[in-house]
Amino acid sequence: MDGQDTAALKSLAQQDPVANVFILAHLRAVGTAAPTSGGAGIIGVFDDGVLVGACWAGANLVPVQLDPALAGAVAGAANRSGRRYASAFGPAPAVLAIYAELLELGHRAHEVREDQPLMIIDGPPSVEPNPGLGLGSLADFDRILPACAAMFEEEVGYSPYLGGREFYSRRVEGLIRQGHSLVHLNEAQEVVFKAELGAVTSEVTQVQGVWMNPLFRGKGLSSGYMSAVVEHAQKVAPITSLYVNGFNVRARSTYERVGFRQVGTFATVLF
């Protein structure tokens, strides 16, 4: 897709602003559907000139309002690009259909997470927010970065520094500069809890990177921190969203206690 497709892509994504917050945040940031300077682009599926589905193809594959029946065309285009993808994530039917097609083309995942409840809260949290949570500061970058890396490694099973430290460090620094890093450092300057607003539009924020320092787990602190995340996020947009592994019963229980409810199901394929 290129710049002339921007309006059509935005209209398509707006059909579900929660599920499509990633691509809407991208469009908000760069203002165009054209490929990025790094070579990432958006695969569009057209029917008689009308955009009927799309998929971000950068470091990851992220389908946008993609009917699973169209997955073959997207997988074929992604395969021909020659790019290596770290993951595919988004609405489960589309992601799993893309993976089934990629599998036929020789792209085998090392893990498939088929059931990830997509949850939102659009009102005040049900638990008193922890007042210790605040915006991350660049002065604390050297404390925040290791916490982010620890979260990443726990979540996906390998270091975010694989292949180099610079890209991930820039990502974390960017989130801090944007005011999208939320953290609580205690008196000993340890990161107790942190999270990020990973994708942001005027309607929706998507919370990512939720992490509690192992030294402070099991103390009943999570719900207060997540309420504080919601409180901060709702200063930016009225709807706060996240997706969580279906097997993570403890986290799901915390989110429900805070007031999140399920509105869909995501899947993630890790290559």
Side-chain angles (χ1 to χ4, degrees), residues 34-190:
T36 68
S37 58
I42 300 160
I43 300 165
V45 183
F46 294 83
D47 182 9
D48 197 22
V50 178
L51 183 66
V52 294
C55 185
W56 166 262
N60 309 290
L61 292 169
V62 187
V64 180
Q65 297 301 109
L66 188 72
D67 189 304
L70 304 175
V74 168
N79 182 60
R80 288 191 297 273
S81 75
R83 295 183 70 95
R84 293 186 63 183
Y85 303 102
S87 73
F89 65 86
V95 167
L96 298 175
I98 290 171
Y99 176 55
E101 297 287 347
L102 287 173
L103 194 56
E104 293 291 322
L105 296 169
H107 300 269
R108 184 172 296 276
H110 78 79
E111 187 176 355
V112 179
R113 300 177 179 178
E114 300 181 355
D115 177 24
Q116 297 179 306
L118 174 64
M119 309 180 79
I120 68 165
I121 180 171
D122 52 7
S126 304
V127 176
E128 187 69 24
N130 188 314
L133 191 74
L135 296 179
S137 165
L138 287 175
D140 297 315
F141 177 78
D142 289 339
R143 298 177 179 88
I144 296 171
L145 180 62
C148 292
M151 176 284 306
F152 186 99
E153 193 158 353
E154 283 184 30
E155 180 65 19
V156 302
Y158 59 85
S159 170
Y161 304 144
L162 207 63
R165 185 186 180 101
E166 184 180 355
F167 177 81
Y168 189 73
S169 297
R170 285 204 312 268
R171 167 67 174 162
V172 173
E173 181 182 344
L175 289 165
I176 295 171
R177 289 187 183 278
Q178 293 164 16
H180 296 166
S181 168
L182 300 168
V183 64
H184 179 207
L185 278 76
N186 63 12
E187 291 181 0
Q189 296 301 292
E190 302 168 296

